[in-house]
Structures are given as C-alpha cells and as structure tokens.
Amino acid sequence: MRKSLLLFVALTTACSVFAQSFSDDFESYSAGDMLGEMSDVWTTWSGNDGGSDDSPVSSANAHSGSNSVYFSSTSSSGGPQDCVLPFGGELSTGQFNLEMWMYVNPSTGGYFNFQQEDAIGVTWAMDCYLTNTALIQFTSGGSLQLETAYPFGEWFKLRMEMNLSTNSWTILINDEDRGSFANGATQIASMDIYPLQGNQFYVDDVAYDYTPYELPALNGAVTSITGMTTGLAGQQVAPTVVVRNLGTTAINSFDIAVEYNGNSYSQQVTGLNLASLGFYEVSFTDEFTLVAGMNDAIATISNVNGQLTDGDGSDDEKILVIDPVVPAAGKIVVAEEGTGTWCPWCVRGHVFMELLSERYDGYFAGIAVHNADPMTVYAYDQAMAGLISGYPSGVVDRGPEYDPSQFEIPFLERIQIAPAAFIENGAEYDSGTGLLNVSLSTTFQAAVSGNYKIALVLTEDGVTGTGSDWAQQNAYAGGGNGEMGGYEDLPSPVPASQMVYDHVARLIIPSFGGMPNAFEASVDAGDEFVHNFTMMIPADWDASGIHIIGMVIAPDGTIENASYTTIEEAVANGFVDGEEVVGVTQVDAPDATVQVYPNPASDICQLLLQLDSPQEVVVEILASDGRLVVSRDYGQLAGSQVFPINVEGFESGMYMIRVMTGKTWQTQTFIKE
C-alpha cells in the first residue's frame, strides 16, 4: 500500500515556502516491499522505483516495531541500492532538523549524503561517512567538517539541526551534542542513502521538520568563516567571511571584523548592491597563526547600510571553534594516486592533490602515478596496481585505499603520528649535463628494529605534451556530474594544449619497495645514516619543477616518514657523502663486484663482473622511466667476465643496469651521451 507521509502545514514567508514535517517508521510496509515503489515520498537515484537501486523493507532488525531498511554492498563501486528522500523543494533559509536511527554492523560502515538541488547528481551539499573504525565523518567538497565516534552493533539516534539561513549545522548522537560547523553548501533538497563497498547498516524511524525564516526589512548576517578550519597548528591562515543579506532591502555597505587568539582585523565594505538572500565574500589579507587547543574565531558584522542595528541581531556574529590538528615534528605524509589521461574521473585526483598541496604546504607530498599514458613510469605503475582496485584511487603512506577526494582524512590521521626517523635532502646538480646526486640523511628519533628500507622519488610539476595521448578525458564536462575545480567548464577530452599536469611521478629508485636492509637491524635514537643516489635529469624535464621525495619504508610496507624539497632547496642543504644506492660504485654484493665503463658512453660500454664463486647471472638494462630495454640470462658463470654492451642506438639519457648474481641484485647507472 502506498502511503503519503509528507504534511504541508502553513505558508509563512513571502518566498512561498511551506513549513513541512515528515516521518516514516516503515511499519506501513510489508517485509520485502520495495521502498521507493511503495512510498509516495521515497524514491531512487535513477527514478526507477522498484528497480535495481530500490531497497527492500527488512524485518531482520528494527529500532521500533518490526521493520527497517537494510543497506549493504560488496561492489567495489558501491550500491546498487540508492534510495533518495526528497525534502519537498530546494531549501536555503529556515531551520531544518533531520533525525534517524541507525544500526551499523561491527567493522563495516555506512554512507549517506545531502543533495543541493532537486535534480540529483548535480551538487553534493554534504557527505557523511560512517567508517569501519566507528567514526562518523561529515565532509563538504572533500574537506572534513566534523568527526566523532558512533557505536557499533547497536541502534543509535543521529540528529542534525541545520540553520540554513545562517549556515550552522549541529550534530547530535543519542541527543549528545557532538559539535557544530558551517557547511560549504547553503542549500539542501534531498538525502541520498547509498551503501559503499563493505557497508552493512540499517535505517529506521526517519523524520524531519522544517520551519521557514521570515525576512525582516534590513538584516545582514554572518554565515561562515572559512580558511581557518583546515590548517595545522603553526600554519598561517587568512580568513574569508561570508555575509548574507537576510533582509528584503538591498545592502550597500557594512563593516566586518574577525578576532582570534587575541588578534583582531577589520574591513569596511562599501559600494555594494547585495540583493535579498544574496551572499558576499570578504577575503582578508591579514593572517592569523593557528595555535594548538580550542579557541574561538569570532566574525562580526556591523554598521549595515550605516545603521547601528538591523532587523535581527541574533545573526550578526558567527563563532567558530577552531581546534587545529597539531602535526608531529618533522612529519611529512605521502599520498600516491593512480591516474591516467584516459581516465575520465581522474580529474578528481588532479583537483584534490592540488588542494591538499596548497592547504598543507610543507607537510604533504603528492605523487601522481600515471597508468597507460605518456607519463607512465612502468615499474611504479605496476607496483601501484597491487595496492589499488581502480582509477582514480590511491594510498596515503601506503595504508588503506582511498578515493583522492578523501585523502585529507587519512592525511590528518598520519600527520599527528611522531615518525621514527627524520630525513633531510641534500644534492649536487649540474644543469649542463643534468647529473643529479642526492643524499638522504636519516636520523632516527626512536629505537627501532627490523628491515627498514630507503627509496627516492622524483616528481615534476608543470608537465605538458602534445598529441591525443596527452588530452585528459573529463567526466565532469558540462557540469552533469557536479562541480570539480573548474573541469565542469572544460570539454571532454580536455585538449593537450589546455592541460598542465602536476605531481607527476618521474622516477623511483631503487624500487617501489625500497632498498632492503638500508639500516642496521636494530638502531638507537640518534643513529644517523646517509644514502646517496645518482640520476640524470633529461633535457625535456623542467628541473625547476622537480621535487625530491625521500622515503623511509617500515617493515610492514607503510611509509614511516618522508622528505620533500625542490632541487634548489636540496642543493642549499648541501650534499653529504654516504652509502651509494644507485651510482657508479659498488652496491652491497658479498659474492661479486660490478663495474661499468666508460661512463658516460657513446657507442660501447663494458660491464665487468668479478665473481668470487660460480653464480647464475642475469643482466637487465632499464631506461630512466622504468622501461625494460634489455634482459639476458647468461646461466652459471665464474671468475672475471666482461660483457660489451652496444648502446649506440640508445636514446641519450640515464640507464640502469641490474645484475643478478645468484639471488642478489646489484644496480649501477650509466649515461648514454
């Protein structure tokens, strides 16, 4: 039986918006009924009620009565369940309260979002992730707004109180206030419940009520303070204050002030014609230094149109509680993203990698590992494929897989963990030949044991190219899939002439997993180690756009800590002699000595191999991008061996020779002139 539960109560504003209330305890359905098909209110993302994305009513578990709706997914892409609860229109003022009871199976999770427009799939107003670690995370535009705990394996009430006029969202769990925030979106139209891979959760007793806001004649309101909630303690941030005209009279002038940690800045804004319900951003150039602990940032509007008071003084002030994450000393977090020009959704990675690089400059090292396009480093790409299930996708410090739009959440977790070691980059660089020598100086801050490894990555910003392989496929073209950092205004594919690629992985040495046993089996706090790397910067790379990323890799494969500098910064630090990882001297080799000469070489170079005992010998030659150029198995050899290598047909640049003797690999570099 179809049952309408939406009640229109009264017309209360000049904007012709009705007060509304809704509730559904799912008791009017029978177990197995498809929710969208049987309800006059609930629908599905596709609009095909009763179809594959509809959800059956369940009697397996309920908060009240006998029925609820169960959501689960084992698909890597989520779904197919995708139920939508419309709110009766696009709501941008007034008070909206939503509550529902949820039950999340232990160690699984849940997800829902708010859509901003009646047409779903255009703009996401809010994402809510219930993680498999019992945290509920509210994000907007990929930025974490609030995180708090929720209980596994029991019914709990989630209540959200939203003042849409002043953009204030308050979260309560079991009627306990868990915090408030100003959302980046100022309008809601529906809620979408969509299980992600691994999610298993029930929803029951869903209800909302909406009270419109009646506009006074003159009213300037502060709706949000942005730019101060996403930094780390110690970073300098400049606030932006959003003012809204919540009156019927146009606003032509006002004063705005911001106070934080004993400092105050103010601006006078004139020459406006801000219409009713319009927004205006005031960007401050003065910066506040974020401090550890909970402190209020207070923005106040006054002198609206020259008047001492306006029609509603309750919205003249916005208080934002700022409690910045305190980064661990010396910590840098690495995010590695699988991407490709062929991948239409990968522009999401472009946007969020850049956002995090700017927001957390000096703490975040982003690496775009390209797949099946002209920027592919084959060895890196193949290794990344073992950590991700699709594109775009990636890992933060080589932990669990995340979509790039969610990198900020694990970043904020990892940046607080004190690293066992600090790394400093040093370098020598010959711009004429392109020869780059890098030293990674590692100082342990704590005693550790096990097989810790060292690796080095080069990335490049500002990479461009020509031809169709350099054009970026773009799923956001035309805006049908929402906004995405300006890509919604670009075609698909985006022509190569309009694309600039940043954070592009150019080289990883000695391997993705790093040099094994790079340190002693047990080290003490204060122990220092230096590793040297030799490489060639090809002429078609822009050395000014290169970043050097050093990595200490823990025995479990996660990245313990990293370093991140430009070549210029590393040169300023100075090169330090140490153990050669890739270069023209002997690497760790108890049973064999390997030498390559002449180096550089133009036509023939000689590989000299001195074997202390009979060994199986394999020789590989790799280009600087990881491509395998030559591979030969020489079988068992002994004594002194000389292998002439004809490099006359090789392109100019750096090459790596890998020699396996028995079960030991050694790596040398040579330069083809």
Side-chain angles (χ1 to χ4, degrees):
M1 178 179 68
R2 296 173 63 87
K3 181 179 179 182
S4 176
L5 298 169
L6 186 63
L7 305 177
F8 293 95
V9 180
L11 176 64
T12 61
T13 74
C15 300
S16 299
V17 178
F18 291 87
Q20 305 170 20
S21 64
F22 165 88
S23 66
D24 197 348
D25 59 9
F26 308 110
E27 297 305 308
S28 64
Y29 315 104
S30 298
D33 283 348
M34 303 304 288
L35 180 62
E37 184 178 32
M38 299 304 295
S39 170
D40 285 338
V41 181
W42 290 93
T43 184
T44 64
W45 186 272
S46 68
N48 181 26
D49 295 346
S52 61
D53 57 350
D54 209 341
S55 294
V57 174
S58 170
S59 60
N61 191 3
H63 168 252
S64 68
S66 57
N67 289 343
S68 67
V69 181
Y70 176 62
F71 294 90
S72 67
S73 179
T74 57
S75 169
S76 61
S77 58
Q81 292 170 284
D82 208 342
C83 289
V84 175
L85 175 62
F87 298 148
E90 297 173 351
L91 310 177
S92 62
T93 62
Q95 182 71 36
F96 186 91
N97 303 315
L98 171 79
E99 68 179 44
M100 58 183 172
W101 287 80
M102 303 187 73
Y103 182 106
V104 180
N105 286 346
S107 301
T108 62
Y111 170 79
F112 66 90
N113 66 67
F114 290 99
Q115 293 291 301
Q116 188 167 312
E117 302 174 33
D118 285 334
I120 57 178
V122 177
T123 308
W124 276 247
M126 172 62 60
D127 293 281
C128 178
Y129 298 88
L130 294 96
T131 73
N132 60 7
T133 57
L135 293 174
I136 184 168
Q137 299 165 334
F138 298 89
T139 71
S140 178
S143 295
L144 181 65
Q145 303 294 326
L146 187 146
E147 179 181 78
T148 188
Y150 75 91
F152 269 148
E154 64 181 73
W155 284 99
F156 68 93
K157 181 169 71 171
L158 173 63
R159 181 174 173 85
M160 305 175 67
E161 298 178 351
M162 308 165 226
N163 187 324
L164 301 174
S165 301
T166 60
N167 191 19
S168 178
W169 293 49
T170 299
I171 306 302
L172 300 95
I173 292 183
N174 291 333
D175 297 322
E176 178 187 352
D177 189 335
R178 297 294 184 89
S180 301
F181 57 88
N183 190 12
T186 57
Q187 179 175 288
I188 58 174
S190 63
M191 176 177 66
D192 170 46
I193 305 177
Y194 177 74
L196 304 177
Q197 182 182 25
N199 285 176
Q200 298 176 15
F201 62 102
Y202 296 85
V203 172
D204 200 359
D205 296 324
V206 179
Y208 72 74
D209 62 82
Y210 171 65
T211 304
Y213 178 74
E214 188 169 358
L215 304 179
L218 178 67
N219 184 27
V222 179
T223 62
S224 68
I225 309 169
T226 62
M228 298 185 69
T229 58
T230 53
L232 304 173
Q235 285 188 300
Q236 290 190 314
V237 294
T240 295
V241 178
V242 180
V243 170
R244 190 176 192 187
N245 184 352
L246 287 177
T248 59
T249 304
I251 293 176
N252 52 60
S253 65
F254 59 85
D255 296 336
I256 195 78
V258 180
E259 300 177 42
Y260 173 72
N261 193 36
N263 297 309
S264 179
Y265 303 119
S266 61
Q267 287 193 33
Q268 186 178 62
V269 179
T270 61
L272 295 181
N273 184 23
L274 184 61
S276 177
L277 298 182
F279 294 87
Y280 185 81
E281 289 189 356
V282 182
S283 297
F284 285 75
T285 57
D286 297 299
E287 293 183 325
F288 294 98
T289 300
L290 296 177
V291 296
M294 297 179 65
N295 292 277
D296 290 344
I298 305 172
T300 306
I301 188 173
S302 61
N303 199 29
V304 179
N305 287 1
Q307 302 298 309
L308 292 177
T309 60
D310 61 17
D312 186 351
S314 67
D315 54 24
D316 292 347
E317 183 178 88
K318 190 79 169 181
I319 300 177
L320 181 65
V321 179
I322 299 176
D323 186 12
V325 167
V326 179
K331 178 70 173 178
I332 294 176
V333 175
V334 176
E336 296 165 295
E337 173 217 3
T339 187
T341 62
W342 55 269
C343 168
W345 298 102
C346 286
V347 298
R348 190 161 63 243
H350 300 188
V351 171
F352 283 95
M353 290 277 275
E354 190 63 27
L355 182 149
L356 294 177
S357 295
E358 293 178 357
R359 181 174 291 171
Y360 300 111
D361 183 33
Y363 299 92
F364 177 87
I367 304 173
V369 182
H370 281 255
N371 167 265
D373 69 22
M375 291 165 281
T376 301
V377 177
Y378 296 96
Y380 210 157
D381 173 44
Q382 290 168 8
M384 274 293 291
L387 298 182
I388 61 176
S389 59
Y391 297 81
S393 190
V395 290
V396 175
D397 277 351
R398 298 193 181 164
E401 181 179 4
Y402 281 88
D403 185 275
S405 63
Q406 297 301 311
F407 276 173
E408 186 171 32
I409 294 171
F411 166 81
L412 292 173
E413 295 172 353
R414 292 289 299 174
I415 198 66
Q416 301 177 70
I417 300 173
F422 294 168
I423 314 169
E424 182 176 274
N425 294 348
E428 297 173 331
Y429 178 56
D430 186 332
S431 60
T433 65
L435 186 63
L436 174 65
N437 295 314
V438 173
S439 61
L440 299 183
S441 300
T442 305
T443 304
F444 280 84
Q445 306 302 302
V448 300
S449 61
N451 185 8
Y452 280 79
K453 307 175 184 69
I454 195 82
L456 181 142
V457 171
L458 295 186
T459 64
E460 184 180 359
D461 292 340
V463 178
T464 59
T466 58
S468 59
D469 288 347
W470 288 85
Q472 178 64 57
Q473 300 296 321
N474 178 19
Y476 294 90
N481 288 310
E483 298 179 0
M484 187 49 61
Y487 278 95
E488 66 275 10
D489 299 323
L490 296 173
S492 184
V494 183
S497 60
Q498 295 180 249
M499 285 302 305
V500 178
Y501 298 92
D502 291 332
H503 319 292
V504 176
R506 287 302 205 180
L507 184 68
I508 184 165
I509 48 179
S511 66
F512 182 81
M515 176 186 176
N517 301 304
F519 310 97
E520 296 173 2
S522 296
V523 301
D524 295 324
D527 285 355
E528 299 179 3
F529 302 84
V530 179
H531 295 90
N532 295 154
F533 300 77
T534 301
M535 63 216 75
M536 182 66 66
I537 304 299
D540 59 349
W541 294 7
D542 179 5
S544 66
I546 296 291
H547 280 91
I548 302 168
I549 303 172
M551 301 177 183
V552 171
I553 302 172
D556 65 359
T558 61
I559 297 173
E560 175 67 30
N561 200 16
S563 56
Y564 185 70
T565 66
T566 63
I567 292 177
E568 183 180 10
E569 290 167 339
V571 169
N573 290 338
F575 179 81
V576 182
D577 285 324
E579 180 182 1
E580 192 77 26
V581 176
V582 174
V584 294
T585 59
Q586 180 181 340
V587 188
D588 182 23
D591 296 323
T593 300
V594 176
Q595 293 179 327
V596 179
Y597 66 92
N599 192 1
S602 58
D603 47 12
I604 300 292
C605 71
Q606 307 287 342
L607 171 63
L608 173 62
L609 182 62
Q610 180 65 48
L611 296 163
D612 295 340
S613 60
Q615 301 282 337
E616 295 289 331
V617 176
V618 175
V619 176
E620 295 181 348
I621 301 178
L622 295 90
S624 61
D625 63 2
R627 287 181 295 111
L628 184 63
V629 179
V630 172
S631 179
R632 290 179 184 166
D633 186 342
Y634 289 95
Q636 191 173 76
L637 300 174
S640 297
Q641 303 289 335
V642 177
F643 305 97
I645 302 173
N646 186 351
V647 299
E648 187 174 7
F650 288 19
E651 296 180 357
S652 297
M654 184 190 74
Y655 291 81
M656 287 181 283
I657 297 182
R658 286 167 29 98
V659 180
M660 186 184 75
T661 55
K663 295 182 179 180
T664 301
W665 283 98
Q666 297 181 67
T667 305
Q668 301 284 308
T669 62
F670 75 90
I671 299 166
K672 167 61 169 66
E673 292 182 320

